[in-house]
């Protein structure tokens, strides 16, 4: 079997391993590997296996299906669902040894009601220290200590962990930094109060990637690493440059090369008009592959180690680039959409800025029909092709 060599991702597992090692050294605590959204588009099972090789035994996902996907692939160790699971699925959680986040008393009670006999569900408590998304509220005016202590009465729940989340650990703005410090204080105070009331936690975690790089929290014994494992800095505001190596690159091929005269239009909506004779190459990648339509007439793509402009609108499955400056371009040549070609590089961050978004969204958007090809020590070791 061969994967469809039309548009594909190359996933460099050595880089993943390297990034994890850098983060482990920086965090000085165990890492929970965040592999939600198919490991940010990198492929969750391949990613989880490398994480295991690097000593990670705890995984974070967004929902129960992602957790099951890992279990069905034989991934052992702890798995925490960071988000919501419908209470009707509690049996699936228990029988697959999946840990569930509990974010409020109402949800805790509903889960508890669904569990029969002597079974128990492992849970981590989510504390809201300022993000106002989900969690037991802990701040200057609200104290969740009593509410959390009352959860001990719910016999079917085993409280193993507690955590909070930082919405702006990636910012050096002074007010953002003070906000994050305040969050750490609220969280640590809550832990202290719960401990004083004999409620202890096996697993305590606050830091995301930006938190690992920019903040320390010695109360925690785990940190949740996501984007940085994939070799992308959470933002340009980073205290330590870990020299992360991007894990993913996105490639495609030239399907047609042609000369066009001056005064013609290119693509849907005729948004590009040639002001001179040009050489145009067509590539089989479009917004259905996750290459945003907003890159039209804006982004660059690498061919033969040089930058080429996207001309005209990005179509659903194809786009055109200007290759007038290139001598030798032919059908089958490989183009780099994200990644390195010679000395040139297009980062997910560069594309994100063009689309007014973040690189997280760029890599997560690469669609299922784009095969992922895995490399270790420079050798192709496997692929995933849903197309
Ligand atoms: C996604 C997620 C993370 C990982 O964040 P990164 O910025 O990618 O490191 C950590 N914690 C929670 C709760 C998340 O949802």
């Amino acid at each position: 079997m061969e994967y469809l060599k039309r548009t594909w991702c190359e996933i460099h597992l050595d880089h993943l391993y390297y990034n994890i090692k850098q983060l482990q050294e920086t965090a000085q605590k165990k890492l929970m590997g965040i592999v939600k959204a198919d490991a940010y588009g990198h492929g969750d099972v391949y990613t989880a296996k490398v994480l295991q090789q690097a000593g990670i035994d705890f995984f974070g996902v967004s929902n129960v299906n992602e957790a099951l996907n890992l279990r069905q692939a034989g991934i052992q160790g702890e798995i925490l669902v960071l988000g919501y699971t419908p209470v009707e699925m509690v049996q699936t959680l228990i029988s697959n040894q999946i840990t569930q986040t509990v974010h409020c008393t109402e949800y805790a009670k509903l889960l508890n009601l669904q569990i029969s006999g002597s079974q128990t569900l492992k849970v981590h408590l989510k504390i809201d220290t300022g993000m106002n998304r989900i969690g037991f509220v802990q701040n200057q005016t609200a104290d969740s200590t009593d509410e959390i202590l009352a959860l001990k009465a719910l016999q079917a729940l085993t409280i193993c962990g507690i955590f909070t989340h930082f919405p702006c650990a990636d910012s050096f703005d002074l007010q953002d930094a003070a906000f994050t410090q305040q969050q750490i204080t609220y969280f640590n105070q809550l832990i202290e109060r719960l401990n004083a009331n004999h409620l202890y936690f096996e697993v305590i975690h606050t830091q995301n990637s930006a938190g690992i790089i920019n903040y320390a929290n010695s109360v925690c014994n785990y940190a949740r690493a996501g984007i940085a494992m994939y070799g992308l800095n959470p933002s340009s505001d980073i205290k330590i440059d870990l020299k992360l190596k991007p894990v993913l690159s996105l490639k495609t091929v030239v399907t047609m090369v042609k000369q066009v005269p001056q005064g013609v239009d290119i693509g849907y909506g005729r948004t590009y008009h040639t002001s001179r004779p040009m050489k145009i190459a067509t590539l089989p990648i479009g917004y259905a592959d996750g290459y945003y339509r907003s890159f039209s007439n804006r982004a660059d793509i690498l061919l033969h180690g040089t930058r080429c402009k996207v001309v005209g609108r990005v179509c659903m499955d194809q786009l055109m680039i200007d290759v007038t400056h290139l001598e030798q371009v032919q059908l089958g040549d490989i183009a780099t959409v994200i990644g390195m070609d010679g000395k040139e590089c297009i980062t997910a961050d560069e594309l994100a800025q063009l689309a007014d978004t973040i690189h997280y969204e760029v890599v997560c958007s690469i669609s299922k029909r784009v095969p992922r090809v895995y490399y270790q020590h420079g050798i192709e070791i496997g692929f995933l092709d849903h197309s």
Side-chain angles (χ1 to χ4, degrees):
M1 276 241 296
E2 257 291 318
Y3 64 92
L4 185 66
K5 221 169 172 173
R6 164 191 169 265
T7 290
W8 68 97
C9 279
E10 295 180 357
I11 310 289
H12 290 278
L13 298 174
D14 302 309
H15 293 187
L16 181 63
Y17 187 88
Y18 170 88
N19 297 331
I20 295 163
K21 288 291 148 193
Q22 297 295 100
L23 284 163
Q24 283 170 330
E25 204 178 320
T26 308
Q28 291 295 318
K29 50 176 70 89
K30 296 196 84 166
L31 296 186
M32 181 186 299
I34 305 299
V35 294
K36 63 191 179 195
D38 203 18
Y40 297 39
H42 293 64
D44 54 5
V45 173
Y46 275 96
T47 297
K49 285 181 179 163
V50 173
L51 268 52
Q52 286 185 320
Q53 286 163 15
I56 293 177
D57 57 6
F58 212 134
F59 304 95
V61 295
S62 80
N63 67 63
V64 61
N65 282 350
E66 292 180 350
L68 284 177
N69 198 45
L70 294 177
R71 284 288 185 247
Q72 277 153 15
I75 302 296
Q76 315 230 313
E78 301 282 335
I79 302 178
L80 172 64
V81 175
L82 296 161
Y84 175 75
T85 299
V87 290
E88 303 78 44
M89 291 200 70
V90 75
Q91 202 51 54
T92 306
L93 292 171
I94 294 173
S95 47
N96 289 280
Q97 292 172 292
I98 299 164
T99 304
Q100 174 60 43
T101 293
V102 162
H103 60 278
C104 66
T105 299
E106 189 185 0
Y107 184 57
K109 285 181 174 165
L110 289 170
L111 284 172
N112 190 64
L113 267 180
Q114 287 282 329
I115 303 167
S116 52
S118 60
Q119 295 191 104
T120 61
L121 173 70
K122 287 170 114 184
V123 301
H124 283 205
L125 305 179
K126 177 71 177 286
I127 310 305
D128 178 1
T129 51
M131 187 167 180
N132 285 300
R133 186 168 63 177
I134 53 169
F136 296 86
V137 178
Q138 186 73 20
N139 58 36
Q140 208 148 13
T141 53
D143 182 2
S144 286
T145 308
D146 291 340
E147 201 182 340
I148 289 172
L149 289 171
L151 298 177
K152 288 207 270 188
L154 304 175
Q155 299 278 324
L157 305 185
T158 306
I159 301 170
C160 308
I162 188 163
F163 68 110
T164 193
H165 194 47
F166 299 149
C168 58
D170 61 335
S171 163
F172 279 177
D173 174 275
L174 284 179
Q175 279 170 359
D176 286 343
F179 180 91
T180 306
Q181 285 298 350
Q182 188 62 252
Q183 284 191 283
I184 295 172
T185 305
Y186 293 145
F187 183 78
N188 292 0
Q189 272 171 358
L190 176 63
I191 301 285
E192 229 170 79
R193 287 172 192 169
L194 293 170
N195 286 351
N197 284 280
H198 312 290
L199 182 57
Y200 302 95
F201 304 91
E202 242 171 83
V203 184
I204 305 176
H205 42 114
T206 55
Q207 297 148 292
N208 52 3
S209 295
I212 293 170
I213 300 172
N214 293 335
Y215 294 88
N217 188 357
S218 54
V219 161
C220 302
N221 58 354
Y222 272 83
R224 301 185 303 274
I227 196 80
M229 289 196 309
Y230 305 105
L232 306 176
N233 274 316
S235 77
S236 47
D237 280 354
I238 40 163
K239 241 181 207 161
I240 336 159
D241 185 2
L242 296 177
K243 306 246 183 310
L244 299 171
K245 298 179 181 177
V247 173
L248 174 150
S249 41
L250 178 58
K251 305 259 169 98
T252 187
V253 291
V254 172
T255 55
M256 186 171 185
V257 191
K258 62 178 171 295
Q259 293 290 154
V260 298
Q262 181 200 334
V264 301
D265 303 311
I266 295 174
Y268 282 120
R270 303 198 296 140
T271 61
Y272 191 91
H273 189 75
T274 59
S275 57
R276 60 192 158 96
M278 290 174 77
K279 187 156 64 170
I280 300 294
T282 304
L283 307 176
I285 180 170
Y287 58 79
D289 299 294
Y291 194 79
Y292 300 154
R293 189 164 173 275
S294 59
F295 296 148
S296 301
N297 293 307
R298 304 182 73 186
D300 289 345
I301 286 177
L302 303 178
L303 195 54
H304 296 288
T306 64
R307 284 177 175 263
C308 305
K309 278 258 166 277
V310 171
V311 288
R313 290 241 172 96
V314 172
C315 314
M316 187 183 290
D317 318 304
Q318 305 184 68
L319 58 78
M320 282 68 82
I321 58 173
D322 174 12
V323 294
T324 310
H325 57 297
L326 292 179
E327 282 291 312
Q328 302 246 320
V329 183
Q330 49 187 343
L331 195 155
D333 285 356
I334 294 176
T336 302
V337 180
I338 297 173
M340 300 261 297
D341 181 5
K343 288 199 173 68
E344 280 289 353
C345 181
I346 292 176
T347 61
D349 203 35
E350 173 181 333
L351 291 179
Q353 286 179 30
L354 290 176
D356 204 11
T357 182
I358 51 175
H359 46 16
Y360 291 72
E361 191 183 358
V362 170
V363 290
C364 284
S365 297
I366 300 170
S367 67
K368 275 273 177 284
R369 83 173 185 193
V370 177
R372 270 65 168 174
V373 190
Y374 294 88
Y375 288 85
Q376 203 150 33
H377 313 305
I379 299 163
E380 189 183 314
I381 59 151
F383 65 89
L384 286 175
D385 191 349
H386 300 283
S387 54

